[in-house]
Amino acid sequence: MSVFRLELKNTWKSTLKWIIALCSIAFMFLAFFPSMQTESMKELAGAKMEGIDPALLEVLGLSELMDFTVITNYFGYVLQYITLAIMVFAAQMAVNSLVKEETDGTIEFLYSKPISRNAIFIQKVLANTLLFLLLLVALSIITVVGYLSFSEYNFTESIKEVGILYSSMFYIGLIFLSLGTLLSSLLRSSKSSSGIAIAIVFGTFILGIMSVIVKELSFLSYFSPMVWIKTQKLMTEGIYREEWLIGVLTIIICFLASYKIYKKRDMHL
């Protein structure tokens, strides 16, 4: 059995749990959308937002009062918090990938097979990428179904909008996968992987909040990938050129560095 297939076999159950949980949450929020179109809900949402401090609104991604009767605004706002969970999944999976055999005591079995470290590294990265992609595909399907069921969008409009949302999320996910893989090549145990994954994701998220609250720290937004794909910005301006540059360089550097470290590290059998 190849490392790629072994990795999929060992992680498909946990991935399926994430898929079911996140798809259920996404569909639940989409099903609630028709309630946002009632007059009473419009008045309530408007009144509540007008009473909130503008700085806090900006932190929450509501720098401009959005019309939540438009499904793009409504679901796009909800999606930024679902994205946090998606990125934790990506980071945790990557942090576990290269070190879990040492922690579980199965590294000797893996090295008894006629396979090089190069192949192990590449196949693990590919398996993680595929599992992450499967999660996004499942969410994309649920979102399209939700758009068709609870809004006036047709199939073509739904596919176009959902494609923009989740393709940008895939790009950001690759950044967290690369960061997690680099940390996995440095760690000696996977026991703290959950805490590390949460720290990576929420750490960068907090940097994004700080960049909004303190104008002098606005440059921190370049270190917060989730700021790059806030729905309002994404749909009007897209991902900036410098954000593409920073992201692509991060992915390349982290994967190359983790590959070199993994090739040279001493394994504890």
Side-chain angles (χ1 to χ4, degrees):
M1 181 180 289
S2 68
V3 173
F4 179 79
R5 289 173 59 196
L6 184 63
E7 195 74 9
L8 294 180
K9 181 182 177 182
N10 290 338
T11 54
W12 75 269
K13 286 184 180 178
S14 61
T15 302
L16 183 60
K17 290 176 183 177
W18 276 93
I19 289 174
I20 293 172
L22 292 176
C23 286
S24 299
I25 292 169
F27 191 77
M28 179 185 68
F29 277 109
L30 285 164
F32 185 73
F33 172 69
S35 301
M36 298 298 296
Q37 296 181 303
T38 62
E39 288 299 323
S40 57
M41 188 61 77
K42 288 180 188 178
E43 292 173 6
L44 178 63
K48 291 292 184 183
M49 287 184 189
E50 286 174 4
I52 299 175
D53 185 271
L56 180 57
L57 285 174
E58 197 165 356
V59 168
L60 294 172
L62 296 168
S63 53
E64 298 177 10
L65 291 179
M66 289 192 291
D67 181 5
F68 284 123
T69 62
V70 178
I71 196 167
T72 305
N73 295 339
Y74 167 75
F75 187 66
Y77 178 71
V78 170
L79 193 61
Q80 67 181 329
Y81 298 105
I82 296 176
T83 301
L84 281 170
I86 294 170
M87 297 310 153
V88 168
F89 165 76
Q92 183 177 354
M93 184 170 56
V95 171
N96 266 323
S97 60
L98 300 178
V99 72
K100 65 182 176 182
E101 278 83 11
E102 287 182 78
T103 306
D104 298 341
T106 56
I107 188 70
E108 191 170 359
F109 166 76
L110 188 63
Y111 279 177
S112 68
K113 304 298 180 183
I115 188 168
S116 66
R117 284 200 190 187
N118 294 354
I120 292 172
F121 178 86
I122 292 170
Q123 290 184 43
K124 280 179 172 284
V125 169
L126 289 176
N128 289 341
T129 304
L130 177 61
L131 290 169
F132 179 64
L133 186 58
L134 287 175
L135 172 63
L136 294 184
V137 168
L139 279 165
S140 298
I141 293 170
I142 287 294
T143 306
V144 168
V145 171
Y147 269 52
L148 294 175
S149 303
F150 307 114
S151 77
E152 297 178 355
Y153 274 56
N154 60 38
F155 183 74
T156 303
E157 291 170 329
S158 301
I159 288 290
K160 181 180 178 182
E161 196 152 292
V162 169
I164 294 171
L165 292 173
Y166 288 104
S167 60
S168 63
M169 206 178 292
F170 179 68
Y171 166 56
I172 300 305
L174 286 178
I175 295 174
F176 285 105
L177 279 171
S178 67
L179 288 169
T181 304
L182 177 58
L183 286 171
S184 187
S185 69
L186 296 168
L187 293 173
R188 290 298 178 184
S189 172
S190 63
K191 291 180 180 178
S192 58
S193 61
S194 296
I196 292 170
I198 291 170
I200 294 171
V201 175
F202 279 87
T204 57
F205 184 69
I206 290 169
L207 290 178
I209 292 175
M210 291 173 62
S211 72
V212 171
I213 296 175
V214 184
K215 290 185 178 180
E216 290 78 9
L217 299 177
S218 60
F219 67 91
L220 290 177
S221 64
Y222 293 118
F223 301 97
S224 181
M226 280 170 289
V227 171
W228 308 350
I229 58 170
K230 282 189 174 181
T231 305
Q232 266 189 312
K233 171 185 174 294
L234 189 64
M235 292 301 182
T236 55
E237 303 170 71
I239 299 174
Y240 299 145
R241 185 179 300 175
E242 54 268 31
E243 292 167 349
W244 279 111
L245 179 62
I246 292 169
V248 171
L249 284 176
T250 300
I251 292 167
I252 293 171
I253 291 170
C254 286
F255 276 135
L256 285 177
S258 53
Y259 170 74
K260 289 186 177 296
I261 293 168
Y262 186 69
K263 277 188 68 176
K264 294 180 180 178
R265 70 180 286 173
D266 294 325
M267 299 295 179
H268 299 280
L269 302 179

